[in-house]
Amino acid sequence: MNVATTSPRRKELVRIAARLFVEEGYDRTTVRMLAQEMGIKSGSLFHHFADKQEILCAVIEEGMFSALAIAHEHLANLDNSLAADTPRAQAHLRLLALARAHLDTLLTDRNAHVVALYEWRRIEGPAREHLVQQRDEYEALWRSAIEDGVATGLLRGDASLLRQFVLGALNWSVRWYRADGERSPDELAEALIDSVCHPQ
Amino acid sequence: MNVATTSPRRKELVRIAARLFVEEGYDRTTVRMLAQEMGIKSGSLFHHFADKQEILCAVIEEGMFSALAIAHEHLANLDNSLAADTPRAQAHLRLLALARAHLDTLLTDRNAHVVALYEWRRIEGPAREHLVQQRDEYEALWRSAIEDGVATGLLRGDASLLRQFVLGALNWSVRWYRADGERSPDELAEALIDSVCHPQ
Amino acid sequence: MNVATTSPRRKELVRIAARLFVEEGYDRTTVRMLAQEMGIKSGSLFHHFADKQEILCAVIEEGMFSALAIAHEHLANLDNSLAADTPRAQAHLRLLALARAHLDTLLTDRNAHVVALYEWRRIEGPAREHLVQQRDEYEALWRSAIEDGVATGLLRGDASLLRQFVLGALNWSVRWYRADGERSPDELAEALIDSVCHPQ
Amino acid sequence: MNVATTSPRRKELVRIAARLFVEEGYDRTTVRMLAQEMGIKSGSLFHHFADKQEILCAVIEEGMFSALAIAHEHLANLDNSLAADTPRAQAHLRLLALARAHLDTLLTDRNAHVVALYEWRRIEGPAREHLVQQRDEYEALWRSAIEDGVATGLLRGDASLLRQFVLGALNWSVRWYRADGERSPDELAEALIDSVCHPQ
DNA sequence: CATGAATGAGGATTCATTCAT
DNA sequence: GATGAATGAATCCTCATTCAT
């Protein structure tokens, strides 16, 4: 009932909800479907969440949180391994790390981050605030990386537009990417970053 | 009642439906809302469409059709005005024309094409076939333009991935673009094409 | 619009309605189905009939009328051909003639008489009066034949019950009789009459 | 929700539904009428039954089941009391027992068995299978009794037709029998069996 | 915590009927 | 007479939510 509660049981429920929301869409996922998949009856769901929208909130929060966490993780790896390089090369590697992290949560971990991107509109009221904050934090990572890219001549054009384009291309990949295809999410990330970076 | 029917009344209804579907999403748009906005009673809607899904079909069809029509129009203008040019410059202009056309239907004409992109999943059964055909036809335009871009050295990388990236970046713009902002759809199109094209 | 109207067009419509009412049942037969089968649009139906119930009335009336007509016809044939016989034999032949006539309208001509028997309940109001009259007239034929049967020792038991039993057995045959089976309606009629008549 | 479920609540609901189906007919009985009579709201009905047709199924099943049960009961009483008799007398008694049992469920217990006979057509799909089985089992009782009747000279004619006639006469009695009339269902049963049995 | 029964508001859809053209 | 569009009331059914047990 408490939004902040993060019992292991709740974590599990959120994971299941995320999957269903991706498969069916939030609107078409009924509380009964959620309960069934969780092995309980629909009435019991409301012991864990105040209402259906709170489930969505929890999923989106989880999605944003893990996107942020994984992005930080990828960036941290970078700092450790290859610190000595040109600013331009560094900017390139950061972009690559962010793109890989993004597709990692989106296409590999799947679900929660996808919901965070695609069902955003359904959230209203005060719950939105918190989510907006998280999103801004995540975008700040990208903003800084892209600006560095522009500053070092790696990228050309308006930094703000570039961010929207790159994120858009990445986000949309959910729609067409098949896990059983010939390319890995990492290869996608590389291809995209390559296509917008100017060599030398 | 007939899917192929394109009475002026029906056209009008489709336009209104497109707007509501964009504003609220297909699932949250009730038949009553549609009827109200159309100035009729909900029962009367079924004089024009067999069921709610047929309305969605009609909107998507309209969206794909107009996207295709406007793309062809932009391309035709191109052929007339500047036919004598280097292949590379021609490829560039074609990409630009396609991108402008895309954002034109998406952000200016709005609605029908947006629905075509975002509510695609809800369509099932034989209606899907026809839509897939139209989509393929539209993508073929892009495919050829992008391949020419790669062939002339204007673009670098895998043509298929590039197409997905560019279309993804364009499609996602619906989510963040504000008509009252400082940039026009045309400027967006140019910025995007510039960001993936290699100079000289 | 006039109940008494019996234009050839209307006759045709009544015949079609009778068929649909038998196939689907009155409640499940929509005005649109009727119109479609008649080759007109549903709105036009109301130029011929005031409302759906009037169609049912017309069908039932037609069913009762033709049952009565055919019964009279069969009885008339009897009078002409074999007038000189024992009263008992005469009663037997009358019963047989009535049973044959009954199954003739029910299983051969089909439809209208079936509706008259099975959708009787749906009729309310003043329309019922007229139909009750017709039904009473028809039952009077049976009543007299059965009473003669009892009087001559051909049948045994309460005349009123016997009539209900015989008519019930005949009416119910609609439910199980298959035209493509091995027995003709006439054979059914004979078998039934035989089974309740006492020999000698 | 489960077809096999036979909670006491469900039993109660089925009984009420049976009454309404007889009074109004399945098609004209609305879900709201059922709910109202049951003292719940229409939405709650679907807690107990998947859809309206499942209610009909349950009623018919109950009707067939009780018809079968009561028939067996009547036959059992017979076996105990008068086992030593001529085969012909035995056949007579069995027919009488079956006829009484039939009218007992039809006119006394009422409702469920009536629905089973008169709304049979509305059932489609796999639900039908089970019902057909039950019906066949019930008819087998009659088949054997009638065949014994024919074998012992009690009845004359084609056994199969005789069964249809007798059952038809019994089934149709629902249409004209009035409980407040002068004859009891048992008297009806006797009269019918008498009328088709040949003395001595 | 969990359940099963209930709710009530709203969902899409049907359909007899009306009526201007 | 015929039509097509419209109506409005009713239809079956769904579903998030509540709550006594």
Side-chain angles (χ1 to χ4, degrees):
Chain A
M1 222 152 280
N2 187 347
V3 180
T5 301
T6 324
S7 70
R9 185 94 175 96
R10 195 177 149 111
K11 273 230 156 191
E12 163 78 4
L13 300 185
V14 167
R15 181 168 302 125
I16 291 169
R19 177 165 56 75
L20 284 177
F21 288 165
V22 168
E23 284 169 7
E24 290 287 317
Y26 173 70
D27 289 321
R28 298 184 90 85
T29 304
T30 71
V31 168
R32 272 188 170 75
M33 288 163 71
L34 291 165
Q36 162 133 357
E37 216 73 0
M38 294 166 179
I40 57 180
K41 293 298 156 57
S42 69
S44 311
L45 242 179
F46 294 89
H47 286 286
H48 301 279
F49 303 92
D51 53 25
K52 194 186 170 191
Q53 210 198 175
E54 196 187 290
I55 307 179
L56 178 56
C57 276
V59 170
I60 293 185
E61 201 158 2
E62 158 69 16
M64 299 275 7
F65 179 79
S66 86
L68 205 48
I70 292 189
H72 277 303
E73 192 183 316
H74 278 237
L75 290 175
N77 285 343
L78 219 59
D79 293 344
N80 297 338
S81 54
L82 303 174
D85 229 334
T86 71
R88 181 176 185 137
Q90 282 181 347
H92 192 192
L93 288 173
R94 270 174 75 207
L95 283 174
L96 236 130
L98 283 177
R100 279 177 175 150
H102 199 82
L103 290 188
D104 196 16
T105 45
L106 223 44
L107 305 178
T108 307
D109 170 19
R110 276 223 128 148
N111 298 337
H113 193 194
V114 177
V115 174
L117 291 170
Y118 280 87
E119 304 283 6
W120 181 263
R121 309 200 311 174
R122 297 285 168 253
I123 303 291
E124 285 149 2
R128 217 183 158 99
E129 318 285 287
H130 182 216
L131 260 20
V132 167
Q133 240 177 15
Q134 276 189 289
R135 192 195 55 182
D136 287 351
E137 199 181 336
Y138 183 73
E139 287 196 359
L141 250 41
W142 275 94
R143 196 182 306 268
S144 129
I146 298 246
E147 280 167 359
D148 284 3
V150 171
T152 60
L154 181 71
L155 301 172
R156 257 185 298 205
D158 178 280
S160 176
L161 284 184
L162 277 170
R163 195 186 78 250
Q164 302 280 29
F165 289 150
V166 170
L167 279 170
L170 290 172
N171 292 341
W172 196 261
S173 71
V174 175
R175 297 268 170 133
W176 53 267
Y177 180 73
R178 296 300 121 198
D180 52 10
E182 35 183 26
R183 290 193 192 75
S184 70
D186 273 6
E187 287 170 324
L188 249 64
E190 284 154 31
L192 176 61
I193 297 305
D194 273 5
S195 75
V196 293
C197 286
H198 291 258
Q200 214 267 333
Chain B
M1 219 153 280
N2 186 347
V3 180
T5 301
T6 322
S7 69
R9 185 89 179 101
R10 195 176 149 117
K11 274 231 156 190
E12 160 82 4
L13 300 183
V14 167
R15 181 168 303 123
I16 291 169
R19 177 165 56 74
L20 284 177
F21 288 165
V22 167
E23 284 170 7
E24 290 288 318
Y26 173 70
D27 288 321
R28 296 184 89 84
T29 304
T30 71
V31 167
R32 274 183 178 79
M33 289 163 70
L34 289 165
Q36 162 131 2
E37 216 70 4
M38 293 165 178
I40 56 180
K41 293 302 159 59
S42 69
S44 311
L45 243 179
F46 296 91
H47 231 280
H48 304 279
F49 304 92
D51 52 26
K52 195 186 169 192
Q53 208 196 196
E54 196 184 292
I55 307 180
L56 178 56
C57 275
V59 170
I60 293 185
E61 201 157 3
E62 159 67 17
M64 299 276 4
F65 179 80
S66 86
L68 204 47
I70 293 190
H72 277 301
E73 192 183 316
H74 279 236
L75 290 176
N77 287 342
L78 220 58
D79 292 343
N80 298 337
S81 53
L82 302 175
D85 230 333
T86 72
R88 181 179 185 133
Q90 283 182 348
H92 193 193
L93 288 172
R94 269 175 75 205
L95 283 173
L96 235 125
L98 283 177
R100 278 177 176 150
H102 200 82
L103 290 188
D104 195 17
T105 46
L106 222 45
L107 305 178
T108 307
D109 169 18
R110 269 218 133 154
N111 298 336
H113 193 194
V114 177
V115 174
L117 290 171
Y118 281 87
E119 304 282 7
W120 181 263
R121 307 203 309 175
R122 298 284 169 254
I123 303 290
E124 286 150 1
R128 220 186 155 95
E129 318 285 286
H130 181 215
L131 261 20
V132 167
Q133 236 178 15
Q134 275 189 289
R135 193 195 54 182
D136 288 351
E137 197 180 339
Y138 184 72
E139 288 195 357
L141 249 41
W142 276 93
R143 196 182 304 269
S144 128
I146 297 243
E147 279 167 0
D148 284 3
V150 172
T152 60
L154 181 71
L155 302 172
R156 258 186 297 206
D158 179 279
S160 176
L161 284 184
L162 277 169
R163 195 188 75 248
Q164 301 281 29
F165 290 149
V166 170
L167 279 170
L170 291 171
N171 292 341
W172 195 261
S173 70
V174 175
R175 297 268 171 134
W176 54 266
Y177 181 73
R178 297 298 123 200
D180 52 11
E182 35 183 26
R183 291 194 190 76
S184 70
D186 272 7
E187 287 170 324
L188 250 62
E190 282 154 31
L192 175 62
I193 296 305
D194 274 3
S195 74
V196 293
C197 286
H198 290 259
Q200 212 264 334
Chain C
M1 221 152 281
N2 186 346
V3 181
T5 301
T6 322
S7 70
R9 184 95 176 96
R10 195 177 147 112
K11 273 231 156 190
E12 163 79 4
L13 300 184
V14 167
R15 180 168 303 124
I16 291 168
R19 177 164 57 75
L20 284 178
F21 288 165
V22 167
E23 284 170 7
E24 290 288 318
Y26 173 70
D27 289 320
R28 297 184 90 84
T29 303
T30 72
V31 168
R32 271 186 171 77
M33 289 164 71
L34 290 166
Q36 162 131 357
E37 215 73 0
M38 294 167 179
I40 57 180
K41 294 297 157 58
S42 69
S44 311
L45 242 180
F46 294 89
H47 286 284
H48 301 280
F49 303 92
D51 53 26
K52 195 186 170 192
Q53 213 200 165
E54 196 186 291
I55 307 179
L56 178 56
C57 276
V59 170
I60 293 185
E61 200 158 4
E62 158 68 18
M64 298 277 4
F65 178 79
S66 85
L68 205 47
I70 293 190
H72 277 302
E73 194 183 314
H74 279 236
L75 289 175
N77 286 344
L78 220 58
D79 292 344
N80 297 339
S81 54
L82 303 174
D85 229 333
T86 71
R88 182 180 185 135
Q90 282 182 347
H92 193 192
L93 287 173
R94 271 172 75 204
L95 282 174
L96 238 133
L98 282 177
R100 278 178 175 151
H102 199 83
L103 290 188
D104 195 16
T105 45
L106 223 45
L107 305 177
T108 307
D109 169 20
R110 274 218 131 159
N111 300 337
H113 193 195
V114 177
V115 174
L117 290 170
Y118 281 87
E119 305 282 8
W120 180 263
R121 309 203 307 176
R122 298 285 167 253
I123 302 291
E124 285 150 2
R128 217 183 156 98
E129 317 286 287
H130 181 214
L131 260 20
V132 167
Q133 238 176 16
Q134 276 190 289
R135 192 194 55 182
D136 287 350
E137 197 180 339
Y138 183 71
E139 288 195 0
L141 249 40
W142 275 93
R143 196 182 304 269
S144 126
I146 298 244
E147 280 167 359
D148 284 3
V150 172
T152 59
L154 180 70
L155 302 172
R156 256 184 299 202
D158 179 278
S160 175
L161 284 184
L162 277 170
R163 194 187 77 249
Q164 302 281 29
F165 289 149
V166 170
L167 278 171
L170 290 172
N171 291 342
W172 196 262
S173 70
V174 174
R175 298 267 170 133
W176 55 266
Y177 181 73
R178 298 297 123 199
D180 52 11
E182 33 182 30
R183 289 194 192 75
S184 69
D186 273 5
E187 286 170 324
L188 251 62
E190 284 153 32
L192 176 62
I193 296 304
D194 274 3
S195 74
V196 292
C197 287
H198 290 257
Q200 215 266 336
Chain D
M1 219 153 282
N2 187 347
V3 181
T5 301
T6 322
S7 70
R9 185 91 179 98
R10 196 176 146 115
K11 273 230 155 190
E12 161 81 5
L13 300 182
V14 167
R15 181 167 303 124
I16 292 169
R19 177 164 57 75
L20 284 177
F21 287 165
V22 168
E23 283 170 8
E24 290 288 318
Y26 174 71
D27 288 321
R28 297 184 89 84
T29 304
T30 72
V31 168
R32 271 184 179 77
M33 290 163 69
L34 289 166
Q36 161 132 1
E37 216 70 2
M38 293 166 180
I40 57 180
K41 294 302 159 62
S42 70
S44 311
L45 243 179
F46 296 92
H47 231 279
H48 304 279
F49 304 92
D51 54 25
K52 196 186 167 192
Q53 209 197 192
E54 196 186 291
I55 308 179
L56 178 56
C57 276
V59 170
I60 294 186
E61 201 157 0
E62 158 69 16
M64 299 274 7
F65 178 78
S66 84
L68 205 47
I70 292 190
H72 276 302
E73 194 184 313
H74 279 236
L75 290 176
N77 287 343
L78 220 59
D79 292 344
N80 298 337
S81 54
L82 302 175
D85 229 335
T86 71
R88 181 178 186 137
Q90 283 181 348
H92 192 194
L93 288 172
R94 269 173 76 203
L95 283 173
L96 234 123
L98 284 176
R100 279 177 176 150
H102 199 82
L103 290 188
D104 196 16
T105 46
L106 222 46
L107 304 178
T108 307
D109 170 18
R110 271 221 130 151
N111 299 335
H113 192 194
V114 177
V115 175
L117 290 171
Y118 280 87
E119 303 283 5
W120 180 265
R121 308 203 311 176
R122 295 287 169 252
I123 303 290
E124 284 151 2
R128 221 186 154 95
E129 317 286 287
H130 181 215
L131 261 21
V132 167
Q133 238 177 14
Q134 277 189 288
R135 193 196 53 182
D136 287 350
E137 197 180 337
Y138 183 71
E139 288 195 0
L141 250 40
W142 275 93
R143 197 183 303 271
S144 126
I146 297 245
E147 279 167 1
D148 285 1
V150 172
T152 59
L154 181 71
L155 302 172
R156 257 183 298 203
D158 179 279
S160 176
L161 284 184
L162 277 169
R163 195 187 75 250
Q164 303 279 30
F165 290 148
V166 170
L167 279 170
L170 290 171
N171 292 341
W172 196 261
S173 70
V174 175
R175 297 266 170 136
W176 54 266
Y177 181 74
R178 296 299 123 198
D180 52 10
E182 36 183 27
R183 290 194 192 75
S184 70
D186 273 6
E187 286 170 325
L188 249 62
E190 283 153 34
L192 176 63
I193 296 305
D194 274 4
S195 75
V196 292
C197 287
H198 290 258
Q200 211 269 335

